[in-house]
Amino acid sequence: MKCFNCGAELQKTDFCPNCGISVRIYKKIVHTSNFYYNQGLDRATVRDLSGAAESLRKSLRFQKGNIMARNLLGLVLFEMGETVSALGEWVISKSMMPENNDAEKYLDAIQHNPSRLETINQTIKKYNQALLYCQQNSTDLAIIQLKKVLSLNPKLVKGHQLLALLYIKEGQYERAKKSLRAALKVDAANTLSLRYMRETNQMLREANPNKKKKPEDDLISYRSGNDLIIQPTRLKDTSGFATVLSVLAGIVIGVAVTCFLVVPGIRQSAKSNANTAVNQANETIASKNQEINSLENQITELNNRLEDEAADSDILLDRITSYDQLLLSYQAYQDGDNIASGEALANVNKDYLTEEAQIIYDDLSDQVNSGYIQTLYEEASTAYNERNYEDAATGFEKVVAIDEQYESGDALYFLAQCYRNLEQDEKAITYYQKVVDQYPNTEHASNAQQYLEELQELQ
């Protein structure tokens, strides 16, 4: 453990051996943070993910710089299907400790996998759309959308819980139990899932009460030798002749009833059923046509919403990338690497930053660009003198992109020279023309005009 004031290694005493400051309370804070981290680790081991997330957040409240707790919180959130929250934790972790940090590996595994990023985007869009359907009381559409979400991200605990609530609302308790089992398979001790499961079981018991069987008191039993005989109390023993007469009489009566009563009724019922079926079919066809038209209109509206949400998701990813690049630029500037700092700063989209972050961006840009452009120009000039025109052109391009008038147009002129030596005549003509237009009556302009005429004659 290191001193928070001077960074010296602490001993068992309550004072820093280097600066002498009291570290008793600081040690308690660190120990408390580590206690909650270990508690979160134990809960995550037994798949109590919601409990683990709660413990890890407590650990970070005591010590924000607990990198292991922050990385583990990101893993727990990712396992629960909350990928965007997990990415946020890993980005913060990486900004606090850029070197030898597992968060960098986690971020690379997601950001360098286009298919996974697309899956994350689709999951966010569809889940937000499902929430919108719930607000609009469109339960059927919300269920369909959530099924699509869970097919893309089966571990999204919130998705399973919301789907279970919708099934409970529709009275489909068995399906609700299935969704809750899937949620508990991911997060075994989630209190919300357990409460929903208890309420679902209660509703099932109320919907299907147990029926009591009537006692079989109409049976009698007696013994005949060593055998136990069971028979109804009203069993009558009849002779064989009487039995035959009864059977024949029953057959005659049955045939008569069938011919005079049942058959005509069946025919009439068949005709009536056929007419009813035809009418119902016509009504169903008309109703289905109306439903098809309504669904087509809904599909068109949903496609428009999906396009808008796709744009919003892309903006979110660009915003995360901009903050990531700003942190990298600041770290490189602190390390004295102007090239890396300037290249990272060039990848930041200022429009996606908050007002406070834009102030940091402007200050950093003023400090970095002067050293960055000078370093780029010197390296490009060295490559040019060594006849390494490809590297020189790359360097001069970056200089011109930042300041086209750098060194009174020298960067423009030498960039045109590089393209001419690389036989890229179109680009050379473009930059020679800029030198002639922006710096007339100079030696560079005179030489540029001469090269222009030579290149134009070759075309």
Side-chain angles (χ1 to χ4, degrees):
M1 186 184 301
K2 294 185 179 180
C3 177
F4 67 91
N5 186 45
C6 64
E9 194 71 27
L10 297 178
Q11 306 298 329
K12 294 183 178 181
T13 63
D14 291 339
F15 297 91
C16 175
N18 184 38
C19 64
I21 195 170
S22 176
V23 293
R24 183 172 60 86
I25 297 177
Y26 172 69
K27 283 185 175 181
K28 288 184 178 180
I29 291 173
V30 173
H31 289 322
T32 303
S33 176
N34 291 338
F35 168 78
Y36 282 117
Y37 165 73
N38 292 328
Q39 187 183 75
L41 183 60
D42 291 338
R43 289 181 172 181
T45 303
V46 296
R47 297 202 70 81
D48 180 9
L49 300 186
S50 55
E54 181 182 359
S55 297
L56 293 171
R57 289 192 177 99
K58 288 181 180 179
S59 174
L60 293 174
R61 279 201 293 270
F62 281 97
Q63 186 185 11
K64 294 182 179 180
N66 193 335
I67 300 300
M68 292 189 297
R70 196 171 293 279
N71 289 345
L72 181 57
L73 177 58
L75 289 173
V76 170
L77 293 173
F78 184 80
E79 183 65 15
M80 293 172 69
E82 301 179 22
T83 309
V84 175
S85 299
L87 287 173
E89 296 296 336
W90 291 332
V91 168
I92 295 172
S93 173
K94 185 181 176 184
S95 67
M96 290 182 172
M97 191 175 77
E99 302 295 334
N100 299 323
N101 192 339
D102 290 336
E104 183 176 2
K105 177 178 64 176
Y106 305 147
L107 288 171
D108 290 341
I110 295 177
Q111 292 179 344
H112 295 167
N113 190 336
S115 61
R116 178 172 289 184
L117 283 176
E118 180 62 23
T119 300
I120 294 171
N121 286 339
Q122 293 298 324
T123 302
I124 295 171
K125 295 174 190 175
K126 294 181 184 299
Y127 184 75
N128 290 336
Q129 186 64 47
L131 290 176
L132 180 61
Y133 286 146
C134 291
Q135 294 171 0
Q136 296 173 350
N137 203 25
S138 300
T139 306
D140 293 340
L141 293 176
I143 290 174
I144 293 172
Q145 201 71 6
L146 282 172
K147 287 181 178 179
K148 294 179 181 179
V149 170
L150 296 174
S151 67
L152 295 172
N153 188 357
K155 294 184 178 181
L156 185 58
V157 175
K158 291 182 178 178
H160 287 295
Q161 292 172 342
L162 180 57
L163 182 59
L165 281 177
L166 294 175
Y167 280 141
I168 292 172
K169 179 183 177 183
E170 294 296 309
Q172 302 179 30
Y173 302 123
E174 290 295 339
R175 292 187 176 183
K177 287 184 66 174
K178 183 177 180 181
S179 296
L180 292 172
R181 288 193 196 101
L184 292 171
K185 187 176 181 181
V186 178
D187 187 2
N190 189 291
T191 55
L192 192 59
S193 298
L194 292 172
R195 182 160 62 87
Y196 290 168
M197 181 67 79
R198 185 177 67 251
E199 293 177 359
T200 303
N201 289 331
Q202 179 64 28
M203 292 176 183
L204 276 173
R205 285 193 294 271
E206 293 176 357
N208 300 307
N210 293 328
K211 296 182 178 179
K212 296 182 179 180
K213 295 182 178 180
K214 296 181 179 179
E216 298 180 352
D217 54 358
D218 56 347
L219 298 178
I220 61 173
S221 61
Y222 62 90
R223 286 189 174 273
S224 176
N226 293 327
D227 297 329
L228 178 63
I229 307 300
I230 300 175
Q231 69 178 28
T233 56
R234 298 170 183 172
L235 179 64
K236 295 181 179 180
D237 189 10
T238 59
S239 64
F241 180 73
T243 301
V244 172
L245 287 178
S246 298
V247 170
L248 292 175
I251 292 173
V252 172
I253 294 171
V255 171
V257 170
T258 302
C259 292
F260 294 100
L261 298 178
V262 177
V263 172
I266 292 175
R267 290 176 179 175
Q268 184 63 32
S269 177
K271 291 180 181 179
S272 177
N273 291 338
N275 293 331
T276 302
V278 170
N279 293 331
Q280 290 178 349
N282 292 332
E283 293 175 358
T284 301
I285 291 172
S287 175
K288 293 299 181 183
N289 288 334
Q290 293 179 354
E291 291 180 3
I292 290 171
N293 293 332
S294 176
L295 290 174
E296 288 177 348
N297 294 332
Q298 291 180 11
I299 289 171
T300 302
E301 181 182 355
L302 291 176
N303 288 330
N304 294 333
R305 291 181 182 176
L306 287 176
E307 291 176 359
D308 295 339
E309 290 175 359
D312 294 340
S313 179
D314 293 339
I315 291 173
L316 176 60
L317 289 177
D318 291 341
R319 181 170 296 165
I320 293 174
T321 302
S322 294
Y323 277 102
D324 196 11
Q325 294 297 316
L326 181 61
L327 292 172
L328 289 176
S329 175
Y330 180 78
Q331 185 62 45
Y333 174 73
Q334 292 291 101
D335 296 340
D337 189 350
N338 287 332
I339 294 294
S341 179
E343 290 177 349
L345 197 63
N347 294 327
V348 176
N349 189 334
K350 185 178 178 181
D351 295 336
Y352 293 143
L353 303 179
T354 62
E355 292 182 2
E356 294 81 1
Q358 288 181 1
I359 294 173
I360 296 173
Y361 172 85
D362 293 335
D363 293 341
L364 186 61
S365 178
D366 294 339
Q367 297 175 27
V368 169
N369 280 342
S370 59
Y372 174 55
I373 194 171
Q374 182 180 357
T375 304
L376 285 175
Y377 183 78
E378 291 174 355
E379 291 181 352
S381 298
T382 301
Y384 181 83
N385 294 331
E386 294 175 353
R387 299 179 183 274
N388 185 358
Y389 296 117
E390 290 185 357
D391 291 345
T394 301
F396 285 130
E397 280 179 349
K398 294 179 180 179
V399 173
V400 169
I402 298 173
D403 186 2
E404 199 171 78
Q405 299 179 353
Y406 189 74
E407 291 293 329
S408 301
D410 285 358
L412 274 176
Y413 177 74
F414 287 116
L415 180 57
Q417 289 285 77
C418 290
Y419 283 136
R420 182 176 62 83
N421 287 290
L422 292 172
E423 297 183 355
Q424 298 182 24
D425 296 343
E426 292 294 335
K427 292 184 178 181
I429 289 173
T430 299
Y431 288 104
Y432 278 136
Q433 189 63 53
K434 287 187 177 184
V435 173
V436 172
D437 294 339
Q438 297 180 20
Y439 302 97
N441 302 322
T442 61
E443 182 179 354
H444 283 335
S446 177
N447 293 336
Q449 184 63 44
Q450 182 179 352
Y451 289 129
L452 267 175
E453 294 173 356
E454 292 177 358
L455 292 174
Q456 289 171 348
E457 289 178 358
L458 294 174
Q459 290 186 344

